[in-house]
Amino acid sequence: QRLLYDRMHELTTLITGPSGTGKELVARAIGLSGYIPFNPRTRQFVAEFRGCFHPLNLSAFSKTLVESELFGHKKGAFTGATEDRKGYLADKLAADFVFLDEIGELDEEIQVKLLRVLQARQFQRLGAGKPHHFGGKIVAATNRDLAREMEEGRFRQDLFYRLCSDVIRTPSLRTILDNDPGELENLVVVRSQQLMGEADPSLVAEVLSTVEADLGPDYPWPGNIRELEQCVRNVLVRGHYRPEYPSVNATGSLPAEFSGLARVELGLEDATRRYCTWAYAHAGTFEDAAGLLRCDRRTVSKYLDRSLLDRLKRFELGPPPTNPPSE
């Protein structure tokens, strides 16, 4: 501890987990609990802890803007660059925590530049040649399966192995409740307190009663904690919570991931992954699933989503599909 206390900023934290599970809250907790050195000469801390956490949602910017936001730019570096800009990583101290949300969305070219920041603690502004030092700590988060992203060439392995010195996974709400059903009441109490200023016992009781009557104990909570917050608000305003997607008949409907199939909202890669997982859940083996889908068993193995398969096991799927007629 004596040797590491002033070098913890060099250890990057990666937070993974489904959307709506509080990854930014975890990052903020880390950022606000960091070590801030005390300067005995000035008899002051070198930084104000409230200003040490700097969040940036990478998915909210285009490729050029992400690069400019992170590294800064010189005037004239690109169209619209009318003045010099320092960038997000400039002048960061060891006490500063930079939170990069949706790290899985980064373009590969920017991944290379971020890798240099983590390796050499240096970066360059767009349109400039002088290197700048980065002294802060990076906390990154994503809801993507980075193992799959690396397999398919969308995320660099070398960057992943620079990010994963400290990995935290936020569990889904369904996982939390499977481990401890009583945690639902605790979470509703907290959300009620945040909404009303105090934990209103009548609201808590009404929410729990609504969940039991309208959703059932096995409701998958596809929106996780974020959905639970809306459930509390719906009960407060309307006296009930009946989400349109997925069906509230949780024991007889598929998980939320499959609603996109019916509405033709999915890309081919994602649709293939979900359909192969569904076929495997019906068939039970790679060979039988491949027979249903009329493809090679290796295709089923490649696209099988284990986490989605675990969720499917809680649903009544009905009889397996029959082979489509030959053309």
Side-chain angles (χ1 to χ4, degrees), residues 39-70:
N39 188 329
R41 290 183 300 172
T42 62
R43 301 190 62 79
Q44 292 180 329
F45 289 100
V46 300
E48 165 61 40
F49 82 95
R50 292 183 183 87
C52 288
F53 182 74
H54 309 277
L56 180 66
N57 189 327
L58 300 176
S59 65
F61 300 94
S62 65
K63 173 186 170 182
T64 302
L65 286 179
V66 164
E67 194 168 359
S68 174
E69 286 291 322
L70 283 175

